[in-house]
C-alpha cells in the first residue's frame, strides 16, 4: 500500500464529516448566509497566505531542481488560481486590503497555520507534503461530493465560482501532484515515520473541521 493510501484511510473518517457540516450543506443547497461566507473568505484568504509559506519551505528543503520548481508552481497555483476566487468574492463584498489587514486571524486559523509552518521547519519534504495534503485533498473530496450530490451547486448564482474552483481539473491536477510527491518523498520511510505522517494528517484534518466550525459560527465560541 502506498503511503498516500494509508494517509487517505487515516483521514477519510474525519473528511467525511465535512460533507454534513452546516457550512458545506449551506453551499450545497445555496442557503448559506452571505455574512458567514464573507467571514470565511477573509479568514481563508489569510489562511492561504500562510499555506503558501509552507510550500515555500518545500522550496528551501528541496535538493532537486525539479522539486523546487514543483513547489514553486504550487505556490503560484495557491496565490494566482485558488486565491483568485477569494479575490472575486472579496470584491463583491467590498472588502479592501486594509479591512483584511486589520482583521485578526481567528484562534483556530492562527493555531492551524502555525502548526503547519512548524512542521515545515522541523520536518522534511514528506512531512511538509503530509501537512499540506489535509487541506488540498479534503477540498477535492468536497468538490466531488458537491458535484455528485448537488450538481446544481455548480450553477448557483453566488456560490458556483467557489464550487467550480474545487471541481476544476486544475485543482485536481495540483492535488494529484501533491499526492505523488508524498509517495515519492516517503519511498524509504520506516513504519514509525509513516505513523508520524498519519498523525500530522489527522491533526491537520481536525483543524480543517474546526475551520468549518469557525466559519459557521463566525469565530465565536469555537473552543468553548
Amino acid at each position: 500500500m502506498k503511503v498516500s493510501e494509508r494517509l487517505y484511510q487515516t483521514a477519510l473518517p474525519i473528511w467525511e464529516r465535512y460533507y454534513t457540516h452546516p457550512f458545506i450543506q449551506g453551499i450545497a443547497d445555496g442557503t448559506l448566509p452571505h455574512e458567514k461566507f464573507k467571514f470565511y473568505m477573509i479568514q481563508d484568504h489569510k489562511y492561504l497566505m500562510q499555506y503558501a509559506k509552507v510550500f515555500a519551505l518545500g522550496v528551501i528543503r528541496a535538493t532537486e531542481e525539479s522539486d523546487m520548481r514543483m513547489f514553486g508552481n504550487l505556490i503560484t497555483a495557491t496565490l494566482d488560481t485558488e486565491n483568485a476566487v477569494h479575490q472575486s468574492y472579496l470584491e463583491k463584498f467590498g472588502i479592501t486590503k486594509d479591512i483584511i489587514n486589520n482583521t485578526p486571524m481567528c484562534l483556530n486559523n492562527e493555531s492551524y497555520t502555525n502548526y503547519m509552518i512548524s512542521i515545515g521547519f522541523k520536518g522534511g519534504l514528506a512531512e511538509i507534503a503530509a501537512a499540506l495534503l489535509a487541506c488540498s485533498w479534503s477540498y477535492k473530496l468536497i468538490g466531488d461530493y458537491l458535484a455528485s450530490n448537488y450538481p446544481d451547486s455548480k450553477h448557483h448564482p453566488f456560490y458556483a465560482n467557489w464550487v467550480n474552483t474545487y471541481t476544476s481539473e486544475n485543482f485536481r491536477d495540483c492535488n494529484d501532484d501533491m499526492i505523488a510527491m508524498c509517495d515519492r518523498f516517503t519511498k524509504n520511510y520506516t513504519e514509525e515515520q509513516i505513523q508520524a505522517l498519519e498523525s500530522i494528517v489527522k491533526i491537520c484534518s481536525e483543524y480543517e473541521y474546526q475551520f468549518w466550525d469557525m466559519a459557521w459560527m463566525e469565530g465565536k465560541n469555537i473552543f468553548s
Side-chain angles (χ1 to χ4, degrees):
M1 182 184 292
K2 293 180 179 179
V3 170
S4 63
E5 293 171 346
R6 285 189 54 173
L7 299 182
Y8 178 85
Q9 291 184 359
T10 296
L12 187 59
I14 303 172
W15 293 343
E16 288 178 330
R17 288 162 48 202
Y18 304 169
Y19 305 156
T20 57
H21 194 283
F23 193 93
I24 299 300
Q25 284 295 307
I27 291 178
D29 60 20
T31 61
L32 181 70
H34 287 189
E35 281 303 306
K36 291 185 182 297
F37 193 73
K38 175 182 176 181
F39 177 87
Y40 162 78
M41 274 288 124
I42 294 174
Q43 290 298 318
D44 205 40
H45 173 80
K46 288 179 168 290
Y47 171 88
L48 286 180
M49 298 303 101
Q50 302 305 308
Y51 191 68
K53 291 180 183 180
V54 186
F55 285 119
L57 291 173
V59 176
I60 294 172
R61 296 285 190 195
T63 57
E64 299 291 334
E65 181 181 349
S66 59
D67 290 333
M68 294 175 68
R69 291 184 179 277
M70 177 189 63
F71 278 112
N73 289 336
L74 289 168
I75 293 172
T76 299
T78 301
L79 296 180
D80 291 348
T81 303
E82 189 171 3
N83 189 44
V85 70
H86 290 68
Q87 292 301 324
S88 68
Y89 280 110
L90 292 171
E91 288 177 9
K92 286 181 181 180
F93 286 125
I95 298 171
T96 64
K97 288 185 177 179
D98 285 342
I99 292 174
I100 295 172
N101 292 337
N102 291 324
T103 301
M105 290 182 78
C106 286
L107 178 60
N108 164 266
N109 197 0
E110 187 164 4
S111 179
Y112 181 13
T113 53
N114 283 346
Y115 175 74
M116 286 193 295
I117 290 172
S118 73
I119 292 296
F121 276 111
K122 294 186 296 184
L125 294 176
E127 286 71 28
I128 290 173
L132 292 164
L133 263 177
C135 177
S136 178
W137 210 337
S138 67
Y139 268 71
K140 185 265 183 187
L141 293 178
I142 289 171
D144 290 345
Y145 170 79
L146 294 176
S148 296
N149 296 278
Y150 296 88
D152 289 346
S153 66
K154 299 186 70 172
H155 308 287
H156 189 272
F158 190 79
Y159 292 117
N161 194 14
W162 189 91
V163 174
N164 289 327
T165 296
Y166 297 110
T167 57
S168 68
E169 288 301 316
N170 183 60
F171 185 81
R172 292 167 185 274
D173 288 345
C174 287
N175 186 66
D176 287 343
D177 287 343
M178 292 169 64
I179 293 170
M181 76 179 182
C182 180
D183 286 324
R184 184 156 50 84
F185 295 150
T186 57
K187 188 175 181 180
N188 297 312
Y189 261 39
T190 65
E191 176 62 24
E192 183 179 6
Q193 289 175 308
I194 295 172
Q195 289 180 7
L197 295 181
E198 290 176 325
S199 177
I200 291 171
V201 171
K202 192 171 183 179
I203 290 170
C204 288
S205 297
E206 290 289 359
Y207 268 126
E208 282 289 327
Y209 189 86
Q210 290 177 0
F211 201 104
W212 296 121
D213 271 351
M214 175 195 72
W216 177 250
M217 299 171 70
E218 297 180 57
K220 300 173 185 175
N221 304 316
I222 299 303
F223 295 100
S224 64

